[in-house]
Amino acid sequence: MEYRQLGRSGLKISTITMGTMTIGGGGKFAQVGDVGVADASRHVDLCLDAGVNLIDTADIYSTGVCEEIIGEVLGGKRKDGVLIATKARFSMGPGPNDGGLSRHHLISACEASLKRLKTDVIDLYQVHEWDGQTPLEETMEALDTLVRQGKVRYIGCSNYSGWHIMKALGVSALDKRQRFVSQQIHYTLEAREAEYELVPISIDQGLGILVWSPLAGGLLSGKHRRGQSPEGTRQLAGWNEPPIRDEERLWKIVDILVAIAAERGVSPAQVALAWLIGRQAVTSVIIGGRTEQQFRDNLAAAGLRLTEEERELLEAVSRPPVIYPYWHQLWTAKDRLGKADLSLLGPHV
């Protein structure tokens, strides 16, 4: 297992993070999985034995039950260097202040998570989604307070757009508050939109990237093929997150994954994960599962290194469409080339 620094922080995390959305199974998450305490304990042990040092969860997962199970499972394992990341933003009750990123909700949500997780500190506390009703100054001040109180060590964001991130970083700098060290995003061979704004921002601003659903909800695992989905999968249970907007492109990507995997004697899932782990600015990919076999297979991706030829095949089949105007492409190229090579772009630059 390789360990990478999380953004500009000094914290080092494993290139594979244990995801926990399958734990608990309450509400809509019953479609994803209903892993109980005994199985969760085995999955945690598998991950820790493989060198994973970060477990990612959220208060909304099974409306707190997931955090409770993790707290019960970890127990004394916290002394072994296990790091915990959780998130807050979504409504946890019927009240008008039971959700959002207000000072009121963030502080109460953090304290509730600490209690459920049976710990006195959260290593990475992430805002789960943008809140357009709460001033960013209030949100960043609340996160800064939690760090200074010793309840949180680092802060990050999840599912933010580029301008959301830049505005938040600007507020932190202006007010001399704690800044985000990471962002958690959706980024796969099938969904590479993050490369337009989010990945460049991470490189420029020194943010670590944690990737959620790196196998596109299992669609890149190789188990799903054209017109075929195995019984018991979340797709057949009605789960459609993240959405697939071009099925034909998806299946072409799966075909290449399957071919490379067969050649290397590994699973298509390992190939997809290894591609992500090797991408610029990616710190860690978050894996989840309902069975030990799923975890064992995914964890093996930590040791897989793709060749340049394999990466070129995956690049060719998954390259995202050009959506930015011509002037943006030119100025991006200018940044890459440097002053000495500007003549290559022609007299119009």
Side-chain angles (χ1 to χ4, degrees), residues 262-328:
E263 182 71 22
R264 295 290 295 272
V266 298
S267 72
Q270 290 173 32
V271 176
L273 292 171
W275 178 84
L276 263 177
I277 292 171
R279 299 299 287 180
Q280 193 172 12
V282 171
T283 310
S284 187
V285 296
I286 302 171
I287 65 168
R290 292 168 296 157
T291 68
E292 290 185 37
Q293 179 54 37
Q294 287 174 313
F295 274 101
R296 290 184 190 279
D297 182 77
N298 288 183
L299 287 166
L304 180 61
R305 300 292 181 270
L306 299 180
T307 66
E308 285 302 314
E309 291 77 11
E310 290 165 342
R311 287 194 169 276
E312 288 172 4
L313 284 172
L314 292 168
E315 172 67 24
V317 75
S318 68
R319 186 178 295 114
V322 175
I323 63 169
Y324 280 128
Y326 185 56
W327 61 263
H328 184 279

Side-chain angles (χ1 to χ4, degrees), residues 190 220 225-226 246-259 313-314 316-318:
E190 192 282 326
L220 298 178
R225 307 300 294 274
R226 286 179 178 81
D246 186 343
E247 281 199 26
E248 183 55 32
R249 178 172 173 275
L250 166 68
W251 300 130
K252 287 180 180 178
I253 292 170
V254 171
D255 288 342
I256 298 298
L257 285 172
V258 170
L313 284 172
L314 292 168
V317 75
S318 68

Side-chain angles (χ1 to χ4, degrees), residues 96-124:
N97 293 307
D98 289 338
L101 298 178
S102 67
R103 180 185 296 107
H104 174 90
H105 179 67
L106 270 180
I107 292 177
S108 61
C110 179
E111 291 172 347
S113 287
L114 288 168
K115 184 177 180 180
R116 286 190 292 264
L117 290 165
K118 297 181 180 179
T119 184
D120 56 1
V121 64
I122 293 166
D123 298 289
L124 176 63

